[in-house]
Amino acid sequence: MTDSIIAWYDDVHRLIIEHPSSNFLNKPNTPVRITERSTNTHYYNANINHRDEKEIIVELDNPLPIGRDLVLVWNELEIPIYTRKITRTKWFEDNFFTNRKLGAFCNNKSTSFSIWSPVATAVHLQIKNNFYLLDRNQDGSWSISLDGDFHRTTYIYQITINDFTQEVIDPYAKSVTANSTEGVIIDLNRTNALNHQRPNKITKFQDAIIYELHLRDLSTHENSGINNKGNYLGLTESNTVTNLGYSTGRCYINELGITHVQLLPVNDFARVDDLHPNNSYNWGYDPLFFQAPEGSYSSNPTNPLSRINELKSCIDSCHEDNLSVILDVVYNHVFQIDHSSFEKMVPGYFFRYHDNGELSNGTGVGNDFASEKLMARKFILDTIDYFLNEYNVDGFRFDLMGAIDVTTMQEIQKRCQKEKEFILLLGEGWDLPTALPANQKSTPNQAHELTGIAFFNDFFRDTLKGNLFAADSKGYVNGEGMHVEHLPHLVTGCVLSKYGIPFAENPGQIVNYVECHDNHTLWDRLSITNSHFTVDERKKTHQLATAITILSQGIPFLHAGQEWYRTKHGDENSYQSGDNINQLNWSQRETEEESIAFVRTLIELRKRYPVFRLPSVEDINNYVHILPTIHPVFGYTLLDNDADITIYINPTNTCYDLQLPSSANWKVAVSNEFIKRNEQVVIGEQTTLHPYEILVLVKQRSHQKAKNHAIKSYVSQEKGQ
């Protein structure tokens, strides 16, 4: 055997020996044989097609049997045949895709194990100090069934590929040990049952009001009133209050009027020590095991059941309060490819490569998960299915969704549509430089193929507060009305071509936001772009952005604490900055009750009037109308079933006299001018708009005829008639 020379199986009909020595170059072109080393089984002869200083190419008439310990016999030499690029061929996909159930399935009498590794020559299951050889199946999976009760028992695989054996944790593991050193066998029937059904609160995307939350941020502050700080159980506590008696935690979120809590990743992730979680911090976008809950959020990370039961309790408690739960999922990359179970099981298969053989890195973290590969797609779909069935979640937010292929997202949508309740799907549709054709990326350009999936609207964000990647850039609310010409497009959901290039196909595909966990909070951004403003002016500017987010067509998305001017003290990328930077400051919540009430009122208004949640492009065109105003004031009217709702926004420090659409008794529904705006009703057709004020006026109508007349009137006004 020649240890230094390897015949790489890169193509169905080709072996390659790289950088051969002069001894190989001088050998005669005699036929070579393919043989299985352990059994000495002869498969067939092959021919040397080409050789030079760079490589020797051996042509094969037939595909080689994958998963066998093969050698290339050349005269007296035996050269090991190792699999490499063959795993990235269509032939490999066609021959080894399987719908087999993968993972460990346990009851009190036996456990069945199944793992997919077609290129392995041997797979052993290690349970404590016992080793069991698995049986190889034709589809490239390996399986075994063991009698006995293995519930809560640790397990790990020993997989041999290319004469190298390494430990592999099952990617389908439902729980893992503290700090993810081994998988744990779980009988799911012996985990806690869910007591509450999903809230059946929405029938379309636009009914949702999303509140993005990091579990640990919710409770770690000393004034949170929450006992279980930094873990799953913090969200289960009811009626928590600050020292001054103001609501906190889940109770506060519910009072605000939120429909959906979006949790940053709660699956097992890296960089936080499960046993000493207070020593480090992470958002959770360093995924390790996708079906196992994160251990650092558990009250007892050494008990593999605790993380499962506590995450279930966390979700169940939200459902008890009619709060839906969206999980932020990271299916675009893994933390470290070399340590990934996927790479260890089938090297080169689960990750995306460029044509030149280099790893694709569109995600910017060193690897792109190849969602378009059939078994990678199967894993994602199996994981979605698992969280729907076992945890009863209400939706999924897909991190860097633009790196996931369209077909996979379509299959996810099909699976979610099987649920009787409405499952909300949204994601970051950024067009990333991943090794995937543009028409296969799940970006807004493909929105016509993903009509049941919503996209974060960065045009909305940047129009209101400035270009995200230019710190001194300003937008409409912080730039004295800059980009006012885009406001008609924003408030109508960015779907009407008369106001701009449509961002997506329908308003249910639009997620409107001005801040999230990434980058500066809005308050910190305003502290940079508007440092010359007084604190009160910055607060009013902040309120304009939040109000436009809530009152525009599409899906409003709020970052936790946004309603009370959340700050991360200028930290633009706080993914591991610690609790002192990231935690929700509940003492600040105490001092900003007036501002919180303002946001609460906006949410109530949106829920009360369906015209803020129109389902189609046609409805928006018919029932939302832009008003003529003095620059840079912006105004628009919405025609609800029994009311006209008129909204004016002033992004300057100047007062403006307004001519209202008609003379009537206009109820002041919302204003952020808490001092000067003391009237409850504007009588007539004149009023004043104060600096940095948003004013929402409502005029009730009594019958359909008035509505039809109003529609004709506004259409005529827009046409200049």
Side-chain angles (χ1 to χ4, degrees), residues 219-423:
S219 56
T220 53
H221 191 265
E222 61 184 3
N223 198 17
S224 70
I226 297 172
N227 294 318
N228 293 281
K229 295 188 183 300
N231 63 40
Y232 297 115
L233 295 179
L235 195 54
T236 69
E237 295 184 35
S238 301
N239 302 316
T240 57
V241 295
T242 67
N243 294 335
L244 296 181
Y246 289 90
S247 61
T248 66
R250 193 180 85 243
C251 177
Y252 166 81
I253 296 170
N254 201 30
E255 288 177 357
L256 194 61
I258 298 302
T259 66
H260 288 67
V261 176
Q262 178 180 298
L263 299 178
L264 266 68
V266 294
N267 63 279
D268 187 59
F269 56 79
R271 301 200 207 220
V272 177
D273 185 344
D274 290 349
L275 300 174
H276 305 94
N278 293 332
N279 294 342
S280 52
Y281 177 97
N282 197 272
W283 281 341
Y285 297 96
D286 296 319
L288 293 176
F289 295 96
F290 294 82
Q291 296 185 7
E294 166 59 17
S296 68
Y297 294 151
S298 171
S299 65
N300 184 3
T302 62
N303 181 347
L305 280 182
S306 291
R307 62 182 72 194
I308 295 175
N309 289 333
E310 290 172 8
L311 177 56
K312 284 186 173 184
S313 295
C314 174
I315 295 169
D316 209 34
S317 296
C318 288
H319 288 172
E320 183 181 9
D321 276 357
N322 273 330
L323 282 171
S324 298
V325 178
I326 298 170
L327 296 188
D328 192 338
V329 291
V330 188
Y331 299 143
N332 59 81
H333 75 279
V334 298
F335 175 50
Q336 292 176 331
I337 186 172
D338 291 340
H339 295 97
S340 166
S341 294
F342 297 110
E343 182 68 6
K344 292 178 180 180
M345 290 190 311
V346 192
Y349 175 79
F350 284 97
F351 298 92
R352 206 168 280 154
Y353 287 80
H354 292 288
D355 291 340
N356 63 4
E358 293 183 358
L359 267 172
S360 177
N361 187 27
T363 59
V365 293
N367 63 85
D368 298 342
F369 195 69
S371 60
E372 70 280 7
K373 297 290 186 66
L374 296 181
M375 292 302 291
R377 179 180 296 152
K378 171 180 165 56
F379 177 79
I380 293 173
L381 290 170
D382 287 346
T383 306
I384 293 288
D385 183 79
Y386 175 64
F387 277 104
L388 288 172
N389 288 334
E390 193 63 32
Y391 290 90
N392 218 22
V393 301
D394 307 273
F396 299 93
R397 178 264 190 193
F398 297 90
D399 181 63
L400 301 186
M401 186 174 70
I404 302 175
D405 69 289
V406 168
T407 302
T408 295
M409 292 307 304
Q410 289 173 332
E411 291 299 314
I412 290 171
Q413 181 184 343
K414 289 178 184 176
R415 168 60 188 90
C416 292
Q417 287 173 339
K418 294 179 181 179
E419 299 296 300
K420 64 179 181 179
E421 301 89 1
F422 189 91
I423 304 298

Side-chain angles (χ1 to χ4, degrees), residues 458-560:
D458 55 341
F459 177 77
F460 184 98
R461 176 198 68 200
D462 291 354
T463 297
L464 289 185
K465 69 175 185 179
N467 188 310
L468 182 68
F469 302 106
D472 58 348
S473 177
K474 297 181 179 181
Y476 178 73
V477 300
N478 58 342
E480 301 291 312
M482 186 180 296
H483 307 312
V484 65
E485 67 276 10
H486 296 316
L487 265 291
H489 203 33
L490 264 59
V491 301
T492 56
C494 292
V495 292
L496 298 184
S497 58
K498 67 180 179 180
Y499 294 134
I501 299 173
F503 191 82
E505 292 288 297
N506 64 74
Q509 292 181 284
I510 303 294
V511 178
N512 296 319
Y513 75 114
V514 288
E515 75 166 81
C516 65
H517 69 275
D518 271 324
N519 308 104
H520 286 122
T521 66
L522 180 57
W523 181 257
D524 290 345
R525 173 75 176 211
L526 295 177
S527 298
I528 297 171
T529 60
N530 299 73
S531 58
H532 58 291
F533 276 24
T534 67
V535 170
D536 185 62
E537 286 173 333
R538 282 206 295 274
K539 285 184 177 180
K540 280 188 162 55
T541 299
H542 195 291
Q543 289 168 339
L544 294 184
T546 299
I548 295 170
T549 301
I550 295 171
L551 299 181
S552 293
Q553 300 297 319
I555 307 168
F557 175 101
L558 302 178
H559 183 216

